[in-house]
Amino acid sequence: MKKHAVEILTFCILAITLQLGYDTWKEYKRVELIRKVSAATGRITVQSADSLYFVIASCFITELEGKSFIVTNAHLFFDDTICIKNPIITVRFEGGKKFSCVLEKIDQRNDLASVVPRDADTELPAPLPLGNSDEIGLLDRVMTVGMQYGIPWVASEGLIEKQSTSRWLFPSNFLPKEFSSPHYILSSLPICPGSSGSPLIDRSGTVVGINQGYIEATRTILSIPSNDMITCFTSLRLKDASNDKK
């Protein structure tokens, strides 16, 4: 009897030790992921030349076809429906790295924009890889890091409430006018104003979307799928390449 009791006790201690070790490993991986995302997420300010327009939001570094660039939402560059001319753009990253940037590409319909440092030789932090947004599932865990109410690098976690869905499924006048993208991912991320332009990250650490905002009535977060981002920026780059050849 004593032998069995000792064996059971030993097994329980081993099981608890393994569980604690696994939990510690999971927490370590979680912290490492937050650090990785934080390093590539920036605080972007957009200001008009006359200083009458000023906004603070989020952005992040990603890459496409081997080129790194900074991504954010296009609505940051619009005062109501008027595009800000020659905006003063500043991007700050963790550790105090601060860059003066220029608007590279903008797509108002998809609410996507990219900016690059004025100095072409600027070395940006490591980019976050773009993933396949079609692979995320209902209730998958996601996270983000953004500038919530101007407070930099706030991490939050949530669940996918709805995979990529057409904006036309929403009732008329339900979405704000800047929500014009064709598809959205819905999630329960607890984010606040200032998080526009922050990355939607899956458990593997890849970008599956860019957070645009939330529905006031339900606090549901709307994110533009990464597949739409890839299509949009690829199209803009091909258009530029075609124009350069003319």
Side-chain angles (χ1 to χ4, degrees):
M1 181 68 72
K2 287 184 177 180
K3 182 180 178 181
H4 289 303
V6 170
E7 288 177 348
I8 293 172
L9 180 60
T10 302
F11 175 79
C12 289
I13 293 174
L14 179 60
I16 293 171
T17 302
L18 288 174
Q19 183 62 50
L20 288 173
Y22 178 66
D23 290 344
T24 302
W25 176 81
K26 280 203 308 183
E27 184 63 21
Y28 169 78
K29 297 296 289 184
R30 178 172 169 272
V31 171
E32 283 299 300
L33 177 58
I34 292 173
R35 286 175 178 167
K36 174 187 173 183
V37 176
S38 296
T41 301
R43 174 183 183 268
I44 184 170
T45 60
V46 180
Q47 181 179 343
S48 60
D50 58 10
S51 300
L52 295 178
Y53 177 85
F54 182 82
V55 65
I56 299 174
S58 306
C59 61
F60 63 94
I61 304 169
T62 189
E63 67 175 352
L64 190 62
E65 298 173 351
K67 180 184 178 182
S68 294
F69 55 98
I70 302 167
V71 182
T72 190
N73 290 131
H75 70 254
L76 305 183
F77 301 93
F78 286 84
D79 185 2
D80 196 12
T81 58
I82 302 172
C83 187
I84 304 299
K85 292 184 178 180
N86 303 315
I88 301 169
I89 307 168
T90 305
V91 176
R92 185 189 301 272
F93 292 97
E94 272 193 324
K97 292 182 179 180
K98 181 179 176 181
F99 306 117
S100 173
C101 297
V102 294
L103 182 60
E104 182 192 35
K105 304 186 188 306
I106 188 165
D107 185 327
Q108 187 180 10
R109 177 176 178 271
N110 288 289
D111 198 23
L112 293 170
S114 65
V115 303
V116 292
R118 288 185 180 275
D119 183 356
D121 296 326
T122 298
E123 185 175 345
L124 293 171
L128 297 172
L130 289 171
N132 183 355
S133 52
D134 288 342
E135 293 182 352
I136 59 172
L138 192 63
L139 297 181
D140 276 0
R141 185 165 292 279
V142 287
M143 60 87 65
T144 190
V145 174
M147 312 297 123
Q148 300 199 23
Y149 284 121
I151 301 173
W153 299 287
V154 177
S156 56
E157 293 180 316
L159 301 175
I160 295 295
E161 296 179 343
K162 178 72 175 176
Q163 296 112 311
S164 183
T165 185
S166 171
R167 73 179 303 274
W168 307 114
L169 295 178
F170 292 95
S172 177
N173 299 323
F174 186 73
L175 298 178
K177 59 186 176 183
E178 64 267 23
F179 286 67
S180 58
S181 299
H183 306 104
Y184 283 108
I185 296 170
L186 279 59
S187 72
S188 63
L189 283 172
I191 63 177
C192 306
S195 296
S196 292
S198 59
L200 182 69
I201 305 292
D202 67 6
R203 288 175 294 182
S204 67
T206 60
V207 176
V208 291
I210 178 172
N211 300 318
Q212 185 181 21
Y214 56 87
I215 302 171
E216 189 69 39
T218 62
R219 304 297 294 184
T220 298
I221 306 306
L222 274 69
S223 307
I224 302 165
S226 57
N227 287 0
D228 285 10
M229 295 171 60
I230 293 170
T231 300
C232 174
F233 286 117
T234 300
S235 175
L236 289 173
R237 292 177 190 283
L238 288 174
K239 183 185 294 185
D240 284 355
S242 176
N243 291 335
D244 289 342
K245 291 178 181 179
K246 291 180 180 180

